[in-house]
Amino acid sequence: MSYHLSLYSFMNGELTTPDVSTVQAVLSPVRVGQVGTSGGSTEYWIRATDGSEAEVGVHEEFISVENPQSGDVWKIVTELTDRLGAGILIPNGVFLCPENMRAHLPEGMEDDSVFVPAITLAAFERAAGSLA
């Protein structure tokens, strides 16, 4: 079964571009093989110290996380999200985001959002329920 989530950041109701230097700082130490590019996006295959893996695509306005396995790879995903100041759109329809993003969300998005002081693994697990 395929599993997918997306990381988004907003400013004044508009999507913002992920900070490439932050992405590289978090993902380069855990990448497996070469970084790939395809259609304007950069793709990483990452592996945590426990062997869990995920595919990460960095696009112009968001970051996709494909097929994350159970394990410490979730710590990497939540660290990346927090360091970017982004939120996670979880497949259950919840947008987990930092409290300071509340004023920047597009109209109506606040209703489906869970606001936390920081994006942590524990906050993600609470918002995602049994998905992770």
Side-chain angles (χ1 to χ4, degrees):
M1 181 172 147
S2 179
Y3 184 82
H4 171 86
L5 53 88
S6 301
L7 314 181
Y8 297 98
S9 184
F10 295 93
M11 181 63 69
N12 299 320
E14 301 292 328
L15 286 168
T16 62
T17 302
D19 178 47
V20 175
S21 62
T22 300
V23 172
Q24 290 173 342
V26 174
L27 298 185
S28 290
V30 294
R31 77 169 197 243
V32 178
Q34 295 296 319
V35 174
T37 57
S38 174
S41 65
T42 304
E43 299 175 0
Y44 293 82
W45 175 21
I46 61 171
R47 181 180 298 140
T49 55
D50 69 348
S52 59
E53 300 177 343
E55 300 167 42
V56 179
V58 182
H59 309 276
E60 185 176 330
E61 294 182 326
F62 72 99
I63 296 175
S64 63
V65 180
E66 303 280 341
N67 304 316
Q69 299 173 342
S70 295
D72 288 346
V73 75
W74 289 104
K75 293 178 184 175
I76 298 166
V77 172
T78 55
E79 176 189 356
L80 176 61
T81 308
D82 189 61
R83 289 191 46 192
L84 287 169
I88 303 174
L89 181 59
I90 302 169
N92 65 8
V94 170
F95 186 63
L96 175 68
C97 65
E99 180 63 46
N100 63 2
M101 191 184 296
R102 182 186 298 262
H104 296 283
L105 293 176
E107 187 175 326
M109 196 167 171
E110 187 175 343
D111 297 340
D112 295 320
S113 298
V114 172
F115 300 95
V116 292
I119 303 296
T120 64
L121 181 58
F124 172 78
E125 289 173 339
R126 281 190 303 274
S130 63
L131 294 174

